[in-house]
Amino acid sequence: SLRAAVEVTEDVVARKLFQLEIGVYASKDYLEKTAPMAGPGGAGLTWIGTPTKGAPERWMQRSPFPNATLRHEVSDGQMRVRLVNLSVGMSHLPTLFEPVFPNLRRMPGTEVSPGPSLWLRLHSDLRRTVRVRRFVDFLTEEMRALHKAGKHGPLS
């Protein structure tokens, strides 16, 4: 499995692929139709956040849009991308998604920040299976190429 985490502590074999970079993204349509009508501090905009153990207001207050409303809390990254693509709101997403989802646009006035690392994990019983090792090596190469493409433009 692929997992975004600071560290992996479960009973699995894990390979750290790279550190993710996180940006604030919205759909092209959201930027064209909704964002221009935003008030000070993002009033009128909506966040699609991730479930937090503390008060979500902390990260919202540190964002460029502290007056935006938290509309949804979604733990699944693919679901957050889907909601962003449907123009439901804006969300923190890995920059890795840029070349994969062409409708995503970084919110104006936002910076990219370091995020958790992306880990490739497998059960320890599988680490000696040749076909699994080959797949892990292949997937590692492909994910690193995708990461590099996100930094330097689309893959050719």
Side-chain angles (χ1 to χ4, degrees):
S1 69
L2 292 171
R3 181 169 183 191
V6 174
E7 64 181 337
V8 175
T9 57
E10 295 90 7
D11 183 25
V12 294
V13 175
R15 181 182 292 184
K16 187 178 192 177
L17 299 177
F18 48 82
Q19 185 175 20
L20 293 169
E21 295 174 318
I22 306 296
V24 178
Y25 289 91
S27 70
K28 180 181 177 206
D29 189 54
Y30 190 83
L31 282 176
E32 291 173 355
K33 295 180 180 174
T34 305
M37 295 187 286
L45 298 178
T46 55
W47 280 108
I48 304 164
T50 57
T52 58
K53 293 180 183 171
E57 295 79 25
R58 283 189 220 141
W59 65 261
M60 290 172 57
Q61 290 304 316
R62 292 190 308 260
S63 80
F65 311 106
N67 297 329
T69 303
L70 179 61
R71 184 168 181 182
H72 299 285
E73 288 183 297
V74 181
S75 60
D76 183 87
Q78 291 293 330
M79 181 61 73
R80 274 197 323 279
V81 170
R82 179 81 172 127
L83 290 170
V84 169
N85 273 314
L86 291 171
S87 300
V88 172
M90 59 189 168
S91 186
H92 289 95
L93 296 170
T95 58
L96 182 69
F97 288 176
E98 281 183 44
V100 180
F101 299 98
N103 188 41
L104 292 180
R105 302 288 188 275
R106 193 146 3 115
M107 288 292 290
T110 63
E111 300 287 327
V112 172
S113 60
S117 293
L118 186 62
W119 297 81
L120 180 57
R121 306 176 332 148
L122 65 144
H123 194 276
S124 58
D125 292 347
L126 296 174
R127 75 173 181 238
R128 290 188 179 93
T129 305
V130 174
R131 68 178 177 263
V132 172
R133 293 294 311 164
R134 286 186 177 160
F135 177 72
V136 166
D137 291 343
F138 167 78
L139 188 56
T140 297
E141 275 185 45
E142 292 299 310
M143 292 303 298
R144 288 182 175 156
L146 184 61
H147 180 246
K148 185 177 181 180
K151 290 180 174 260
H152 305 291
L155 290 170
S156 48

